[in-house]
Amino acid sequence: MAQQGSTYLDSLLNLESLRKSLVRQEDSIIFSLIERARYPINSALYDDDDKINKDPPAELSASLFHFFIQESEALQAKAGRYTSPEENAFFPDNLPSPLLPPPDHTPVLHPPGACININEKILNLYLKTLLPLIVADGDDGNYAATAASDLNCLQALSRRIHFGKFVAEVKFRDAPEDYTLAIRAKDREALMKLLTFESVEEMIKKRVEKKAMIFGQDVDLKENDSNGDYKVDPSIVSKFYGEWVIPLTKSVQVEYLLRRLD
Amino acid sequence: MAQQGSTYLDSLLNLESLRKSLVRQEDSIIFSLIERARYPINSALYDDDDKINKDPPAELSASLFHFFIQESEALQAKAGRYTSPEENAFFPDNLPSPLLPPPDHTPVLHPPGACININEKILNLYLKTLLPLIVADGDDGNYAATAASDLNCLQALSRRIHFGKFVAEVKFRDAPEDYTLAIRAKDREALMKLLTFESVEEMIKKRVEKKAMIFGQDVDLKENDSNGDYKVDPSIVSKFYGEWVIPLTKSVQVEYLLRRLD
């Protein structure tokens, strides 16, 4: 088994590399949302009653979506996905062991905070808040492809939001004295204030809006491409970042810091 | 079980809808290649000897890549992916049945040609020709995420290339007399000539190059974004389309037409 390259692990403890990765992850998130928007809502995929099937097989005790995400995670666990400190499962209970020995490296994160996982919240937010805003009504029957697209969106959002752990670790290492008092006082508000830079957040919101315009336009060979039609509404992406992605990333940072002295 | 909407199925028998779908699929293919290029080659994923693991578990009799793609397809088969005439599996033998009853619709394609599947060729081409051109050397240990990206690329390419079946069906229905002689004579060359429009092919090649520039640039908030650095080399995308994607799509069309009168 190849060891995870030290370059890769070092990059998780360097603020400039983390920043670059977060910017790059915006592209992945937007690509994944654009791809999900190829399919209509396909509600039957998410139903956990028997609307799809009067006599469901035992594997479908919950929704087809639930089955698909859980089984995909089990498969990816076998392939070693969750040995990476960047990855957090949506259904982390009873995941199978990796088929290969896990990479042999010193933990990057402080162990008490490493296991923070707010995917339940992310899943709920994705299904209830984001998805209805970016897809059309209707049902085209392409449930498997739709669920696979959902998984891509969820994993991209989860990776981005849990990246807060690395950001918090690096910020703490760079200036422990800035955070120690607030951590000892369990002062979430003070920590949140230390982690908030409004001008940076505004810039991120503008940049993801611009990216959604660029990546979601219909490109043809004429000079001026955009007809103002985007595959996912750029203002929704920007709003979702401002109201959810950024606050949740900061909340992961706060929770991580609160455990940093344990 | 919702029936697959008639709108969706009608769109597979309408040349203008097919053309739009092919253009839209270019975006998906390019997104997927850009996403794969986030990871280095990660060769150990593809090794089918014991380089990764001296004592591999039974599930890894082939490579981890092979295991991952095969198991992913089995899961997607359960979710009904291969009940869609657009989808063709890379490892079609012994796929499990869908958990839900398959959609109830009249076949869109002429049955003898519906089962054409050149995924073995596509897989080989992807691994041997395309992948080494678009990813960096090295190993970052992220095998599961890499394999999941590979699957997205492969499925996007396979869907695009096998779309030739629908294109051929519609062209045949529109003007059976144009094709019948060549089909009866099993004249592949004549059929290929009937299906070749060089100016259209040139336009596609230019468009995918432009898309790779637009989607693969580093977007920031300055006026003029592109620093000439693209996440996947646009000329490689264009060349790959011209040398492989377009010819293979036409070859699917020819094979389909040859069976159209069976």
Side-chain angles (χ1 to χ4, degrees), chain B residues 41-95:
Chain B
I41 184 77
N42 282 340
S43 313
L45 172 63
Y46 310 96
D47 283 343
D48 52 10
D49 54 25
D50 54 3
K51 269 184 221 153
I52 304 187
N53 198 335
K54 289 283 164 210
D55 185 21
E59 283 158 306
L60 290 188
S61 57
S63 63
L64 180 58
F65 170 81
H66 187 110
F67 166 78
F68 184 85
I69 303 293
Q70 196 159 27
E71 291 295 310
S72 296
E73 289 197 328
L75 172 57
Q76 299 204 0
K78 285 188 186 176
R81 184 177 195 106
Y82 305 105
T83 61
S84 162
E86 288 186 62
E87 301 293 343
N88 298 273
F90 283 83
F91 299 108
D93 297 336
N94 307 316
L95 283 174

Side-chain angles (χ1 to χ4, degrees), chain B residues 170-228:
Chain B
V170 172
K171 286 185 173 170
F172 180 83
R173 287 196 195 187
D174 283 353
E177 63 285 0
D178 289 2
Y179 300 95
T180 302
L181 256 178
I183 294 172
R184 291 208 197 285
K186 300 193 196 323
D187 188 343
R188 285 188 161 76
E189 214 175 312
L191 288 171
M192 191 57 97
K193 216 168 162 183
L194 285 167
L195 298 167
T196 298
F197 300 92
E198 275 175 24
S199 64
V200 175
E201 294 178 10
E202 278 311 306
M203 195 182 66
I204 295 172
K205 285 172 60 186
K206 278 191 195 140
R207 189 172 56 228
V208 294
E209 183 162 16
K210 183 171 176 186
K211 286 184 176 182
M213 286 180 180
I214 289 176
F215 302 151
Q217 66 184 308
D218 287 330
V219 174
D220 63 27
L221 290 172
K222 289 184 217 113
E223 199 51 49
N224 190 352
D225 286 312
S226 173
N227 50 10

Side-chain angles (χ1 to χ4, degrees), chain A residues 1-2 4 24 28 35 38 52 59 72 75 78 99 139-140 143 152 159 210 220 222 225, chain B residues 1-2 4 24 28 35 38 52 59 72 75 78 99 139-140 143 152 159 210 220 222 225:
Chain A
M1 166 89 195
Q4 288 197 301
R24 176 65 189 82
S28 299
E35 288 298 274
R38 291 172 64 193
I52 303 185
E59 284 157 305
S72 296
L75 173 57
K78 286 189 187 176
L99 296 176
D139 189 317
D140 69 0
Y143 301 137
N152 284 337
R159 193 184 302 116
K210 183 171 175 186
D220 64 27
K222 289 184 217 112
D225 286 313
Chain B
M1 166 89 198
Q4 290 197 301
R24 175 64 189 80
S28 300
E35 288 298 274
R38 292 172 64 192
I52 304 187
E59 283 158 306
S72 296
L75 172 57
K78 285 188 186 176
L99 296 176
D139 189 317
D140 68 1
Y143 302 137
N152 283 337
R159 193 184 303 115
K210 183 171 176 186
D220 63 27
K222 289 184 217 113
D225 286 312

Side-chain angles (χ1 to χ4, degrees), chain B:
Chain B
M1 166 89 198
Q3 297 194 357
Q4 290 197 301
S6 60
T7 326
Y8 164 65
L9 292 170
D10 288 350
S11 73
L12 295 174
L13 286 174
N14 172 300
L15 208 53
E16 182 55 22
S17 305
L18 290 176
R19 200 196 62 82
K20 274 190 190 156
S21 176
L22 286 167
V23 171
R24 175 64 189 80
Q25 288 181 51
E26 292 164 4
D27 299 35
S28 300
I29 289 171
I30 293 166
F31 291 161
S32 70
L33 297 178
I34 290 173
E35 288 298 274
R36 176 58 184 85
R38 292 172 64 192
Y39 306 100
I41 184 77
N42 282 340
S43 313
L45 172 63
Y46 310 96
D47 283 343
D48 52 10
D49 54 25
D50 54 3
K51 269 184 221 153
I52 304 187
N53 198 335
K54 289 283 164 210
D55 185 21
E59 283 158 306
L60 290 188
S61 57
S63 63
L64 180 58
F65 170 81
H66 187 110
F67 166 78
F68 184 85
I69 303 293
Q70 196 159 27
E71 291 295 310
S72 296
E73 289 197 328
L75 172 57
Q76 299 204 0
K78 285 188 186 176
R81 184 177 195 106
Y82 305 105
T83 61
S84 162
E86 288 186 62
E87 301 293 343
N88 298 273
F90 283 83
F91 299 108
D93 297 336
N94 307 316
L95 283 174
S97 307
L99 296 176
L100 304 174
D104 175 27
H105 57 70
T106 24
V108 176
L109 296 169
H110 189 62
C115 58
I116 289 170
N117 182 335
I118 62 163
N119 274 338
E120 199 179 325
K121 195 177 275 182
I122 295 171
L123 178 59
N124 202 36
L125 195 64
Y126 174 75
L127 292 176
K128 303 275 165 62
T129 305
L130 183 57
L131 199 51
L133 293 173
I134 63 166
V135 298
D137 286 338
D139 189 317
D140 68 1
N142 287 316
Y143 302 137
T146 303
S149 296
D150 284 328
L151 181 62
N152 283 337
C153 295
L154 286 167
Q155 289 181 330
L157 287 168
S158 171
R159 193 184 303 115
R160 198 294 179 193
I161 290 167
H162 289 99
F163 236 62
K165 296 182 204 174
F166 301 104
V167 176
E169 176 64 24
V170 172
K171 286 185 173 170
F172 180 83
R173 287 196 195 187
D174 283 353
E177 63 285 0
D178 289 2
Y179 300 95
T180 302
L181 256 178
I183 294 172
R184 291 208 197 285
K186 300 193 196 323
D187 188 343
R188 285 188 161 76
E189 214 175 312
L191 288 171
M192 191 57 97
K193 216 168 162 183
L194 285 167
L195 298 167
T196 298
F197 300 92
E198 275 175 24
S199 64
V200 175
E201 294 178 10
E202 278 311 306
M203 195 182 66
I204 295 172
K205 285 172 60 186
K206 278 191 195 140
R207 189 172 56 228
V208 294
E209 183 162 16
K210 183 171 176 186
K211 286 184 176 182
M213 286 180 180
I214 289 176
F215 302 151
Q217 66 184 308
D218 287 330
V219 174
D220 63 27
L221 290 172
K222 289 184 217 113
E223 199 51 49
N224 190 352
D225 286 312
S226 173
N227 50 10
D229 245 7
Y230 303 109
K231 294 180 186 78
V232 167
D233 182 341
S235 70
I236 287 171
V237 177
S238 173
K239 200 159 175 249
F240 188 74
Y241 250 81
E243 287 182 16
W244 298 104
V245 175
I246 294 172
L248 285 175
T249 308
K250 288 196 294 186
S251 129
V252 167
Q253 291 185 56
V254 168
E255 296 309 314
Y256 182 89
L257 287 171
L258 287 172
R259 302 180 194 186
R260 188 57 183 79
L261 298 173
D262 292 358

